[in-house]
Amino acid sequence: MTRTFRRAAVAALAATALAGTALIGPASAAPRHTAAQPVPAFDFADCPALPAGADPAQWRCEVLMSSGTIRIGGLREQGTGAMRLTFAEGRVDGRYAQVFGALRAEPTPVPGGLLGVAAHHPSLRADLRVEYAGFADFLSDGDRMGVQHLKLRVLNGLLPDTCAIGDDSDPLVFRPVRTSGPDRVSADPPVLRFTIEDAAFAVPAAHGCGPLDRLVDKRFGLPSPVGANSMELTALVGLKSYTGS
């Protein structure tokens, strides 16, 4: 919700392993301790099946819970809604491997609705929902946390369910950079917090909106070039072993 993260040995799921999660970066980026605070409940229902021949002891599932702000084209900055990204990583034949699970996100209302007016009829309300667009690589390089292909579903009663900004063949290419953390929220269960952002992605035109493609493009100022868009997220990542330990 990506060439995003480098790992220490997957078997080290406890505190020392926290320094090496794919979402966090290399082991040299040791997590800082923070004051005790409530640990959210993580939902691991979307953990994917492992590849054929994978040793479960060398794999773990990661759930990334995040929220923040997004700005695209002519749309002023607004909330993203809560997002939950799930994937697995480990080794197959001695090599790093990963499997995408799911990206689930809450829709968030667009100020001004479909026409961009302060007061509008309920039928012109519009929501945006961040969705997966077919590719994610979670191997990091320092603070550069990989690549995620995303699209933005545009939800409105006048638009078909297929209406989206970007699609799997022409996505938003999100290359998040870590801006703070990792901070250790909990050692048992292992939970880390960090912030990421990207202000260097382009946003393509709308697709699948039928005769209203142009209206959606005009409303959101699309397509929108690099430099006119940004997304900033605060994330919590929880880890779970495939061996049940």
Side-chain angles (χ1 to χ4, degrees):
M1 168 182 350
T2 348
R3 188 144 277 199
T4 324
F5 320 84
R6 184 177 312 164
R7 289 291 144 114
V10 179
L13 184 60
T16 56
L18 289 174
T21 66
L23 290 166
I24 304 308
S28 59
R32 297 186 295 266
H33 292 271
T34 60
Q37 56 186 283
V39 176
F42 284 85
D43 184 346
F44 291 93
D46 288 326
C47 291
L50 299 184
D55 178 0
Q58 296 186 355
W59 282 76
R60 64 184 168 198
C61 182
E62 304 195 15
V63 174
L64 181 67
M65 296 168 55
S66 61
S67 62
T69 59
I70 186 170
R71 178 174 59 87
I72 60 169
L75 182 69
R76 70 175 185 263
E77 186 176 85
Q78 68 171 77
T80 60
M83 296 185 286
R84 187 177 83 235
L85 172 68
T86 306
F87 72 98
E89 66 163 1
R91 293 190 175 275
V92 175
D93 296 330
R95 297 184 178 182
Y96 175 82
Q98 55 190 281
V99 182
F100 180 78
L103 172 60
R104 301 184 186 276
E106 296 177 348
T108 184
V110 176
L114 192 59
L115 298 182
V117 294
H120 53 274
H121 191 275
S123 66
L124 297 178
R125 172 191 170 100
D127 293 332
L128 286 181
R129 185 177 66 217
V130 179
E131 296 184 357
Y132 177 61
F135 177 80
D137 182 357
F138 297 102
L139 186 62
S140 68
D141 180 10
D143 285 332
R144 297 187 177 278
M145 303 184 74
V147 182
Q148 301 167 18
H149 287 187
L150 304 173
K151 55 192 172 188
L152 300 173
R153 186 71 56 191
V154 185
L155 304 172
N156 170 270
L158 301 178
L159 299 172
D161 293 341
T162 54
C163 183
I165 297 169
D167 61 14
D168 288 10
S169 63
D170 188 18
L172 288 72
V173 181
F174 183 53
R175 295 183 174 89
V177 175
R178 184 177 56 199
T179 53
S180 72
D183 298 318
R184 182 176 296 164
V185 175
S186 169
D188 185 18
V191 178
L192 295 176
R193 181 182 60 212
F194 54 93
T195 60
I196 56 177
E197 68 176 20
D198 184 4
F201 60 91
V203 179
H207 299 265
C209 305
L212 298 182
D213 274 346
R214 291 186 179 181
L215 183 150
V216 174
D217 284 344
K218 182 176 180 180
R219 169 67 181 96
F220 293 105
L222 305 175
S224 180
V226 171
N229 319 291
S230 65
M231 186 155 61
E232 301 179 6
L233 301 172
T234 297
L236 291 172
V237 59
L239 315 174
K240 182 178 180 181
S241 169
Y242 270 88
T243 61
S245 58

